[in-house]
Amino acid sequence: MQLSEFKRTLAENPHRTIRFILPTGSKVPPHAHVTEVARIDKHFIDCGGTQRTETVCRLQTWFQDDTDHRLTAAKLLAILEQSMSFLKTDDLPVDVEYEAPFISQFPIEKVEADGEALIVSLGIKHTACLAEDKCLPHNLNKPSILKPLPSFKPGKCC
């Protein structure tokens, strides 16, 4: 989900409390709050030698013994508005960092109003080879008994 869409949904539901739902269906404790908003700029090279960039708005969540704490959509929107000085744009994907039980990042898949809560459903990130055309043998998933699979050429990538 893009930051612009997320902020629009928060603005439309200012009095609802935020509830994060993990991809497993487990709920983050209702007293969790966003402790950090970050712009993450990642510059990297893939295994095929192509330089790439990726930028994301990351919301770090945290909870402790303050079980009376509830984060409202209006409060989160205010935090995001304060962050615009360094986020610079609403045209960023948003993910949520949560310790479950180790620190992980989850993209926001959808946000829906449900009673007094605004349910933020989190998705799963996957790794992938970004240079399959250079790294993987052609037709790797389509073996044929009529001809051998092309051989992998060491040194071409990973």
Side-chain angles (χ1 to χ4, degrees), residues 20-36:
F20 297 101
I21 308 295
L22 297 171
T24 60
S26 300
K27 295 178 180 177
V28 172
H31 55 284
H33 62 281
V34 173
T35 61
E36 183 179 293

Side-chain angles (χ1 to χ4, degrees), residues 16-79:
R16 287 192 164 91
T17 57
I18 304 295
R19 290 300 314 267
F20 297 101
I21 308 295
L22 297 171
T24 60
S26 300
K27 295 178 180 177
V28 172
H31 55 284
H33 62 281
V34 173
T35 61
E36 183 179 293
V37 174
R39 176 186 169 117
I40 308 296
D41 292 305
K42 179 179 172 182
H43 298 263
F44 60 101
I45 189 165
D46 69 25
C47 56
T50 302
Q51 290 189 39
R52 299 177 185 267
T53 61
E54 178 181 87
T55 302
V56 66
C57 172
R58 176 152 306 141
L59 310 178
Q60 182 185 78
T61 61
W62 183 78
F63 67 93
Q64 192 58 30
D65 298 332
D66 177 14
T67 57
D68 294 329
H69 184 273
R70 297 294 182 271
L71 177 64
T72 65
K75 176 69 174 176
L76 181 52
L77 181 59
I79 294 167

